Amino acid sequence: MTGHRRRVLVLRALGLGDLLAGVPALRGLRRAFPGDQVVLALPPALREAALATGAVDAVLPAEAPGRGVPDLTHWTGPPPDLAVDLHGNGPASRDALAALRPRTLLAYADGTPDWRADEHERRRWCRLLAAHGVPADPDDLRLPPPAAPSPAPGAVVVHPGAESAARRWPAGRYAAVVRHLRAAGHRVVLTGGPREDALVTDVAARAGVPPWDLLPGGLPFARLSALVAHATLLISGDTGLAHLAVAHGTPSVTLFGPVPPHLWGPPPLRRHIALYAPGPPGDPHGDTPDPCLLRTTVDEVVVAARSLLPAPPPTRAAEPATGTRTRP
């Protein structure tokens, strides 16, 4: 196929955390097809984040309710030379790609290699590629430094939201952590997604956070990326911002449950602390906080945060801007 710029279509139409967990596999494809076009099918809201990885050339807008498999028939031009299913392990996502008649299709649904339920997400997709002769490093997950300035450089960023209630630690507990950190002299900024304004406002009211330290409404990716990249610490549940902190090397405390950190957690580096209290399997998309998540206490989060924080500056936090630990 000399002289032909091949087109590689990758399906991973999920959330921000899923995209970032897939970066090592995307980087493997990028290296394997350096002069070809790598297109990633994912929700249009993640276009900027996908391009920021440096691993894809273009995006194909694609999404379906409830993390389902989207329709891909709006693909234009000839069939993909290669299609890669990083979306799931069932026939639905494989068949959505197969409908485009790619020359080659890689998918766990075809049985090579075998799907392992107890495998970290980053390693899972790198193993799929490796089985087909495409090396990929599960630790190749860092993003380039963002060009945009941070809206709150050096702050502690606390993100109390999550896509599902099962992974959402109670607002009152987040507020208690924020009060501790502000009393110790740290500036704390609260963030929230597009539908989390009420949650951010609730935590702020309980913790006494001033309006200028609230960043609700879902920041554009460039601004969100800069905020996390230049933060002193991120505290959040198991959500997209936790993966963004890992991608930028920002210290983080992540509250896990019901999904354990050995499946979705940060790499074993001292700057990342994953708090998790094991228990019976739960639904990560459930509509109530998971019991495993609720077993993590305010004191545990405060101790973990303080272990990663430098000494606070001599100004009050209220002024405007001028490793996994598992309990038995």
Side-chain angles (χ1 to χ4, degrees), residues 10 21 39 62 75 77 84 111 116 125 128 144 162 198 229 239 245 250 255 304 307-309 328:
V10 184
V39 181
W75 171 267
V84 183
R116 299 172 187 169
W125 303 111
L128 171 66
T239 189
T250 298
L255 287 61
S307 74
L308 296 175
L309 283 168

Short mmCIF file of all heavy atoms in Angstrom, two decimals, residues 10 21 39 62 75 77 84 111 116 125 128 144 162 198 229 239 245 250 255 304 307-309 328:
data_model
loop_
_atom_site.label_atom_id
_atom_site.label_comp_id
_atom_site.label_asym_id
_atom_site.label_seq_id
_atom_site.Cartn_x
_atom_site.Cartn_y
_atom_site.Cartn_z
N VAL A 10 -10.50 4.22 15.64
CA VAL A 10 -10.52 3.64 16.99
C VAL A 10 -11.83 4.05 17.65
O VAL A 10 -12.22 5.22 17.63
CB VAL A 10 -9.34 4.16 17.83
CG1 VAL A 10 -9.32 3.48 19.19
CG2 VAL A 10 -8.02 3.93 17.10
N ALA A 21 -7.48 6.82 30.16
CA ALA A 21 -6.99 5.47 30.41
C ALA A 21 -6.62 4.77 29.10
O ALA A 21 -5.82 3.82 29.10
CB ALA A 21 -8.04 4.65 31.16
N VAL A 39 -8.05 8.20 13.61
CA VAL A 39 -9.31 8.87 13.92
C VAL A 39 -9.93 8.18 15.13
O VAL A 39 -10.02 6.95 15.18
CB VAL A 39 -10.29 8.80 12.72
CG1 VAL A 39 -11.60 9.51 13.05
CG2 VAL A 39 -9.66 9.40 11.47
N ALA A 62 -19.26 10.60 18.13
CA ALA A 62 -20.03 9.38 18.32
C ALA A 62 -20.35 9.20 19.79
O ALA A 62 -19.45 9.21 20.62
CB ALA A 62 -19.25 8.17 17.80
N TRP A 75 -19.46 7.65 9.13
CA TRP A 75 -18.08 7.61 8.62
C TRP A 75 -18.11 7.85 7.12
O TRP A 75 -18.94 7.27 6.41
CB TRP A 75 -17.48 6.24 8.93
CG TRP A 75 -16.16 5.95 8.29
CD1 TRP A 75 -15.96 5.31 7.09
CD2 TRP A 75 -14.86 6.26 8.79
NE1 TRP A 75 -14.63 5.20 6.83
CE2 TRP A 75 -13.92 5.78 7.85
CE3 TRP A 75 -14.39 6.89 9.94
CZ2 TRP A 75 -12.54 5.91 8.02
CZ3 TRP A 75 -13.03 7.03 10.12
CH2 TRP A 75 -12.12 6.54 9.18
N GLY A 77 -16.02 8.36 3.22
CA GLY A 77 -14.87 7.89 2.49
C GLY A 77 -14.80 6.38 2.46
O GLY A 77 -15.74 5.68 2.86
N VAL A 84 -10.15 -0.47 15.40
CA VAL A 84 -9.74 -1.00 16.70
C VAL A 84 -10.84 -0.72 17.71
O VAL A 84 -11.26 0.43 17.89
CB VAL A 84 -8.42 -0.37 17.18
CG1 VAL A 84 -7.99 -0.99 18.50
CG2 VAL A 84 -7.33 -0.53 16.14
N GLY A 111 -12.01 -12.93 20.47
CA GLY A 111 -11.41 -14.00 21.25
C GLY A 111 -9.91 -14.06 21.27
O GLY A 111 -9.32 -14.95 21.90
N ARG A 116 -9.75 -10.42 30.26
CA ARG A 116 -9.51 -10.70 31.68
C ARG A 116 -10.24 -9.65 32.51
O ARG A 116 -9.92 -8.46 32.42
CB ARG A 116 -8.02 -10.67 31.99
CG ARG A 116 -7.21 -11.70 31.21
CD ARG A 116 -5.72 -11.51 31.40
NE ARG A 116 -4.94 -12.40 30.53
CZ ARG A 116 -3.63 -12.30 30.34
NH1 ARG A 116 -2.94 -11.35 30.99
NH2 ARG A 116 -3.00 -13.13 29.53
N TRP A 125 -5.98 -2.70 27.25
CA TRP A 125 -6.00 -2.31 25.84
C TRP A 125 -4.61 -2.37 25.22
O TRP A 125 -4.47 -2.65 24.02
CB TRP A 125 -6.61 -0.92 25.71
CG TRP A 125 -8.00 -0.91 26.30
CD1 TRP A 125 -8.41 -0.28 27.43
CD2 TRP A 125 -9.13 -1.64 25.82
NE1 TRP A 125 -9.73 -0.56 27.68
CE2 TRP A 125 -10.21 -1.39 26.71
CE3 TRP A 125 -9.34 -2.48 24.73
CZ2 TRP A 125 -11.47 -1.94 26.54
CZ3 TRP A 125 -10.60 -3.03 24.55
CH2 TRP A 125 -11.65 -2.77 25.45
N LEU A 128 -4.28 -5.98 24.17
CA LEU A 128 -4.99 -6.27 22.92
C LEU A 128 -4.11 -5.93 21.71
O LEU A 128 -3.97 -6.72 20.78
CB LEU A 128 -6.29 -5.47 22.85
CG LEU A 128 -7.03 -5.50 21.51
CD1 LEU A 128 -7.54 -6.90 21.19
CD2 LEU A 128 -8.18 -4.49 21.50
N PRO A 144 1.00 16.43 27.28
CA PRO A 144 1.86 17.61 27.19
C PRO A 144 1.35 18.71 28.11
O PRO A 144 0.14 18.82 28.35
CB PRO A 144 1.76 18.02 25.72
CG PRO A 144 1.24 16.82 25.01
CD PRO A 144 0.39 16.09 25.99
N ALA A 162 -19.22 13.36 40.38
CA ALA A 162 -18.91 12.14 39.63
C ALA A 162 -20.10 11.85 38.74
O ALA A 162 -21.22 12.32 39.00
CB ALA A 162 -18.63 10.97 40.57
N ALA A 198 -25.27 22.89 41.78
CA ALA A 198 -25.89 22.82 43.11
C ALA A 198 -24.97 22.11 44.10
O ALA A 198 -24.86 22.50 45.27
CB ALA A 198 -27.24 22.11 43.02
N ALA A 229 -3.19 20.77 35.95
CA ALA A 229 -1.74 20.68 35.74
C ALA A 229 -0.97 21.56 36.70
O ALA A 229 0.15 21.21 37.11
CB ALA A 229 -1.40 21.05 34.30
N THR A 239 -13.06 9.59 39.09
CA THR A 239 -13.69 10.25 37.96
C THR A 239 -12.62 10.81 37.02
O THR A 239 -11.42 10.62 37.24
CB THR A 239 -14.64 11.35 38.47
OG1 THR A 239 -15.40 11.87 37.39
CG2 THR A 239 -13.88 12.46 39.15
N ALA A 245 -5.21 14.35 36.62
CA ALA A 245 -4.10 14.61 37.54
C ALA A 245 -2.93 13.66 37.26
O ALA A 245 -1.77 14.07 37.24
CB ALA A 245 -4.57 14.47 38.98
N THR A 250 0.22 15.63 38.63
CA THR A 250 -0.22 16.42 39.77
C THR A 250 -0.53 15.49 40.95
O THR A 250 -1.26 14.50 40.77
CB THR A 250 -1.48 17.23 39.42
OG1 THR A 250 -1.16 18.14 38.35
CG2 THR A 250 -2.00 18.02 40.61
N LEU A 255 -10.68 8.92 45.96
CA LEU A 255 -11.56 8.11 46.81
C LEU A 255 -12.24 7.07 45.93
O LEU A 255 -13.05 7.41 45.06
CB LEU A 255 -12.60 8.99 47.49
CG LEU A 255 -12.13 9.89 48.64
CD1 LEU A 255 -11.09 10.90 48.18
CD2 LEU A 255 -13.32 10.63 49.23
N ALA A 304 -4.20 11.95 54.27
CA ALA A 304 -3.58 11.70 52.97
C ALA A 304 -3.22 13.00 52.28
O ALA A 304 -2.13 13.14 51.71
CB ALA A 304 -4.53 10.87 52.11
N SER A 307 -0.22 14.73 53.76
CA SER A 307 1.04 14.04 53.48
C SER A 307 1.62 14.42 52.12
O SER A 307 2.81 14.24 51.87
CB SER A 307 0.84 12.52 53.54
OG SER A 307 0.13 12.04 52.41
N LEU A 308 0.78 14.96 51.24
CA LEU A 308 1.23 15.33 49.90
C LEU A 308 1.40 16.83 49.72
O LEU A 308 1.98 17.27 48.71
CB LEU A 308 0.22 14.83 48.85
CG LEU A 308 0.05 13.31 48.74
CD1 LEU A 308 -1.06 12.98 47.74
CD2 LEU A 308 1.35 12.65 48.29
N LEU A 309 0.92 17.61 50.66
CA LEU A 309 0.93 19.06 50.51
C LEU A 309 2.20 19.68 51.08
O LEU A 309 2.68 19.27 52.14
CB LEU A 309 -0.28 19.67 51.22
CG LEU A 309 -1.62 19.55 50.49
CD1 LEU A 309 -2.76 19.94 51.42
CD2 LEU A 309 -1.62 20.42 49.24
N PRO A 328 -8.50 -2.65 55.96
CA PRO A 328 -8.98 -4.02 56.08
C PRO A 328 -10.50 -4.05 56.15
O PRO A 328 -11.13 -3.05 56.45
CB PRO A 328 -8.35 -4.51 57.38
CG PRO A 328 -8.10 -3.27 58.18
CD PRO A 328 -7.76 -2.21 57.16
#
